[in-house]
Amino acid sequence: MIDLKTKVHDRYSIEFKMGFVAGDQPHEGDFSVGMWIFVPGSLDITPTTFTKTEFYRSVKSNIRLITPRFSLGDIVGGDALPLKNVQAASNDTDYDYQLKLFCAIVKSSLRDERDRILSMSSGDEIRLACGGFVDNCRAILASFDKLPSSKCHEYCSEFLFNTVCRYSYHLLTHGVKDERITALLQDVYTLQKEHGFPVVEQDSPTQNSDYIHRRGVLKKLVESILFLRVPKKRDGVLVEQAYYSLAAGIAMIFATVVAWAFQKYFGNLTWPLFVALIISYMMKDRIKELMRFWFAHRLSDKYYDNKAKINIRSNPIGTLKEAVDFIPLSNMPQEIEELRNRVHLFGAEDLFSDEKVILYRKKVLLDRSAMEKSSTYSFCGINDIIRIQVRPFLRKMDDPITTVSIVNEDGEMVDVPCTKDYFLNTILQYRYGDVTEFRRFRITLNRDGIKDLQEVR
């Protein structure tokens, strides 16, 4: 199946997190996604002003394994696999790998437990769950502290302290009042100071920049073992060159036939033959370019722009392909056109606009058996995290605030500030096996960046 989550990452980028969960059978790891972006014509986004190169420059895509799921109590308690895998590491390289994966699992489990507690409505149930949350956090930190010391262990310890604090504060700031969580935070703060780790201070002269910087670096360090190497290269290069050679051959046949016919009719070294040769070679170049364009158009329908092998520790587990194109409104599938019409903000929103449509498509093929052989954990799939920068869409926007003059109730003319917003309507179409699903979103923008992201149902 495909699990989709979206959010505004920052003022200038939208994040689409797609989880591709492979099934038990090989054919169940075949996924495809189409992202249809409808751009207002006033923004002047066309194949000329917004090339494929610029699109891929505006898109950041990270492929990472879906973190193995464990409850907090199963990480270090009983026959806990995460702790045992760390303890059983046979060399320094494997030890560092297992330490990072242990921390990634703790982070994922803390997030799931936070969400579970926040979804509860009964006070007694929340109090019981908070007790388990605190006890498990203390057990995890104590067990991790007993592991053999190393530089990586020190970094991971700091990451665990930061992560426990983060999700504990999330609970407190979302209305969960429990003195045990407050006590846990105070104890973790003391441990951070004892280990010499940076902490957040109210009166920091550097505004806690060291803490924020180290937190970001540690996050990348720990999660690096989940990110997969996906070296991309162009798709269909050999076929493209074969087609282009064929185009050159067809153009040469035309030039040769013209030269042969005129030479036979007018004879050698005559002015008509000279003129005919010049014209034939001029036409030959035009024919070659037209044939190249025609073949390139046909190739774009069958091949992708880029392709890549997905690897876990140099072991291939699947493939990925991606492409982007401007699609004429007349070539849109009927179901996409119907969904777009239902997304309109107003009944006749686009009657007077020349909307442009960008289609970004991606195909992923996963081998479940290869994934299971690559690790002692059972990885169920991958997350494809796509961040799209909207800066190219802002270049030709008007000022975010404009004024409109009105006459108020007292008969006086006043200027009223009004916002000038633009809308990027986006439809995601994803297929998994025989199942096709659609999700629709509307991104509200102005020249200052992203204002809002809404799913339209």
Side-chain angles (χ1 to χ4, degrees):
M1 68 174 188
I2 300 178
D3 178 39
L4 174 65
K5 297 178 181 177
T6 62
K7 69 175 183 179
V8 177
H9 180 262
D10 56 47
R11 195 168 67 173
Y12 297 107
S13 62
I14 297 289
E15 181 176 290
F16 295 89
K17 182 178 180 181
M18 288 174 280
F20 300 98
V21 182
D24 296 329
Q25 303 300 322
H27 71 277
E28 293 182 347
D30 190 356
F31 311 91
S32 62
V33 176
M35 180 184 296
W36 303 77
I37 305 174
F38 298 83
V39 186
S42 59
L43 300 185
D44 193 29
I45 299 295
T46 67
T48 303
T49 61
F50 191 54
T51 63
K52 288 190 176 190
T53 301
E54 186 169 7
F55 177 86
Y56 286 118
R57 194 183 298 130
S58 302
V59 172
K60 181 180 179 181
S61 179
N62 290 318
I63 308 294
R64 54 165 287 176
L65 292 165
I66 295 177
T67 310
R69 300 190 69 173
F70 291 87
S71 67
L72 275 181
D74 291 336
I75 293 178
V76 297
D79 296 328
L81 182 64
L83 182 61
K84 286 187 178 243
N85 280 345
V86 179
Q87 295 169 337
S90 57
N91 54 61
D92 291 344
T93 301
D94 188 43
Y95 182 61
D96 290 351
Y97 173 82
Q98 295 295 344
L99 283 173
K100 295 174 186 176
L101 195 48
F102 179 93
C103 291
I105 290 171
V106 171
K107 178 190 173 185
S108 179
S109 299
L110 284 169
R111 181 196 62 219
D112 292 344
E113 187 65 10
R114 174 207 61 187
D115 294 342
R116 190 178 75 88
I117 293 174
L118 293 179
S119 68
M120 295 176 179
S121 56
S122 168
D124 292 338
E125 190 179 17
I126 292 174
R127 182 165 182 79
L128 180 63
C130 286
F133 177 88
V134 170
D135 292 343
N136 287 323
C137 285
R138 292 185 183 279
I140 289 169
L141 293 176
S143 298
F144 194 83
D145 190 53
K146 295 176 183 177
L147 292 172
S149 178
S150 70
K151 200 64 179 176
C152 184
H153 180 270
E154 178 183 344
Y155 293 143
C156 289
S157 294
E158 185 177 354
F159 174 84
L160 282 180
F161 287 142
N162 293 342
T163 306
V164 168
C165 288
R166 175 186 176 188
Y167 289 105
S168 297
Y169 278 118
H170 281 185
L171 289 173
L172 294 179
T173 55
H174 284 78
V176 177
K177 303 300 181 184
D178 194 294
E179 63 279 0
R180 291 167 297 182
I181 296 179
T182 303
L184 172 65
L185 286 167
Q186 292 171 337
D187 291 343
V188 170
Y189 182 85
T190 301
L191 289 171
Q192 287 175 304
K193 298 284 283 186
E194 290 177 355
H195 283 78
F197 298 149
V199 294
V200 176
E201 299 175 344
Q202 280 187 315
D203 300 320
S204 169
T206 60
Q207 295 185 318
N208 299 297
S209 62
D210 289 346
Y211 174 84
I212 296 299
H213 176 72
R214 286 179 65 90
R215 186 178 68 177
V217 171
L218 292 172
K219 180 178 182 292
K220 289 182 175 65
L221 173 73
V222 167
E223 296 184 350
S224 63
I225 45 89
L226 293 173
F227 284 92
L228 304 176
R229 293 194 309 107
V230 188
K232 296 179 181 178
K233 59 183 181 180
R234 288 184 60 198
D235 189 25
V237 174
L238 293 178
V239 177
E240 179 185 64
Q241 294 305 314
Y243 274 131
Y244 287 173
S245 298
L246 180 59
I250 292 172
M252 191 62 194
I253 290 172
F254 170 81
T256 303
V257 168
V258 171
W260 176 78
F262 271 78
Q263 186 176 16
K264 184 177 180 181
Y265 186 80
F266 292 106
N268 295 327
L269 303 177
T270 62
W271 279 108
L273 176 61
F274 179 71
V275 173
L277 287 174
I278 293 175
I279 294 175
S280 68
Y281 274 92
M282 291 169 60
M283 293 297 296
K284 181 194 74 145
D285 289 339
R286 291 302 88 214
I287 291 172
K288 184 173 72 172
E289 290 304 314
L290 286 173
M291 293 298 294
R292 281 169 60 94
F293 178 80
W294 185 75
F295 283 137
H297 179 71
R298 289 182 62 93
L299 279 172
S300 67
D301 294 335
K302 296 182 179 180
Y303 293 90
Y304 290 74
D305 297 331
N306 304 308
K307 64 179 180 180
K309 290 183 179 180
I310 304 173
N311 301 312
I312 298 180
R313 294 172 129 187
S314 301
N315 299 316
I317 63 165
T319 58
L320 177 148
K321 296 182 179 182
E322 64 177 357
V324 64
D325 294 284
F326 279 83
I327 304 297
L329 291 171
S330 58
N331 290 355
M332 268 200 309
Q334 183 177 354
E335 61 266 35
I336 298 295
E337 185 176 359
E338 292 175 354
L339 286 168
R340 172 65 188 101
N341 291 336
R342 287 164 52 190
V343 176
H344 285 177
L345 183 63
F346 305 110
E349 182 180 353
D350 295 310
L351 285 178
F352 305 103
S353 68
D354 181 19
E355 201 168 47
K356 299 296 185 294
V357 184
I358 301 173
L359 171 59
Y360 176 60
R361 54 196 174 101
K362 181 171 288 189
K363 186 175 181 63
V364 179
L365 181 63
L366 296 178
D367 185 341
R368 183 61 182 266
S369 60
M371 292 176 62
E372 292 179 349
K373 292 177 183 177
S374 64
S375 175
T376 54
Y377 290 96
S378 178
F379 292 106
C380 64
I382 62 173
N383 282 324
D384 186 2
I385 305 169
I386 303 173
R387 287 183 193 163
I388 300 180
Q389 281 274 346
V390 300
R391 290 180 188 272
F393 302 101
L394 310 182
R395 287 188 294 232
K396 297 189 178 180
M397 288 185 177
D398 295 335
D399 288 336
I401 300 294
T402 186
T403 57
V404 175
S405 299
I406 64 170
V407 175
N408 63 16
E409 295 178 352
D410 299 328
E412 299 174 344
M413 182 175 290
V414 294
D415 291 333
V416 178
C418 302
T419 58
K420 175 66 173 178
D421 294 336
Y422 299 81
F423 301 96
L424 291 182
N425 289 288
T426 304
I427 296 177
L428 267 75
Q429 173 190 25
Y430 44 97
R431 295 189 182 94
Y432 169 71
D434 297 330
V435 178
T436 301
E437 297 185 31
F438 298 91
R439 298 275 295 275
R440 308 185 300 279
F441 301 91
R442 184 166 57 234
I443 304 166
T444 306
L445 307 166
N446 63 23
R447 203 164 70 180
D448 290 334
I450 299 168
K451 292 182 61 177
D452 191 25
L453 169 65
Q454 292 182 332
E455 181 168 7
V456 183
R457 299 184 183 275

